[in-house]
Amino acid sequence: MRILLLLWIVLPGTVSAAGIDALTVTPNPDGTESWSLSLQALVLMTALTLLPAFLLMMTSFTRIAIVLGILRTAMGTQQTPSNQIIIGLSLFLTIFVMQPVFTRIYDEAITPYLDDQISIQEALQTASEPLSDFMLRQTREDDLALFLNLSGTDELPSQDDVGFFVLIPAFVTSELKTAFQIGFMLFIPFLIIDLVVASVLMSMGMMMLSPLIISLPFKLMLFVLVDGWTLVLGTLAGSFYLN
């Protein structure tokens, strides 16, 4: 830690003495600011380190991964499908759901910035708008009101004025609620099968036989007959477009 602090203090002075603009912010005549290439690279590297948190907390990944995990538990298939398959499926379904948002970010923020039409500050501001719109559509009003109250904000003129530090926890809370509600609905048919099998085994006096061994084939058969994967994945993807 001391070495990093020393480098942070000494390195800018050394670079400036060498005549290289490392971390500079130059004001423009129109009131905007231009960041040096090194500073832009620093911002980009910092953004890349936050990419996993961005993927988990600001997209549809949380709801999808939780629902698929609950589905596996409800079916009682232990580690089938494996964690890698669930995470991979959640990732690609997230890309599918978020494609309109990512396309809008690329068209409105990344492309103009690469063409030197807007500054990096304007690109970041423009890129945040599609994400804010997506998260606001999925966030419950009571969750948003809770975090607005905790932040000391009584009332906002419009939802466009909600900051990311308030919107993100409200969005994650709403996603957790929605995921558990969907998971509860998925649990019901499998729970009924477990109860029926357990009752039959009890009535036959076969108490030493685990009901899970008998109920698992029936749950798999039910899931296959109703085309469960199509229903679950289709419902998950469609739930983001209903709001």
Side-chain angles (χ1 to χ4, degrees), residues 116-134:
D116 293 330
Q117 297 177 1
I118 59 176
S119 63
I120 187 172
Q121 299 97 319
E122 294 173 335
L124 292 175
Q125 179 64 30
T126 305
S128 65
E129 294 176 0
L131 281 175
S132 297
D133 294 341
F134 171 79

Side-chain angles (χ1 to χ4, degrees), residues 127-190:
S128 65
E129 294 176 0
L131 281 175
S132 297
D133 294 341
F134 171 79
M135 289 189 290
L136 281 172
R137 289 199 307 269
Q138 308 300 326
T139 303
R140 291 177 170 84
E141 293 184 359
D142 54 345
D143 294 328
L144 185 59
L146 169 63
F147 285 95
L148 284 174
N149 185 28
L150 292 176
S151 66
T153 305
D154 296 331
E155 185 176 356
L156 291 175
S158 64
Q159 290 185 339
D160 296 334
D161 298 326
V162 179
F164 265 91
F165 291 103
V166 175
L167 180 57
I168 293 176
F171 169 73
V172 174
T173 304
S174 295
E175 287 295 282
L176 291 175
K177 289 182 179 180
T178 304
F180 277 91
Q181 288 175 354
I182 297 175
F184 172 76
M185 298 302 295
L186 289 175
F187 239 107
I188 292 178
F190 299 113

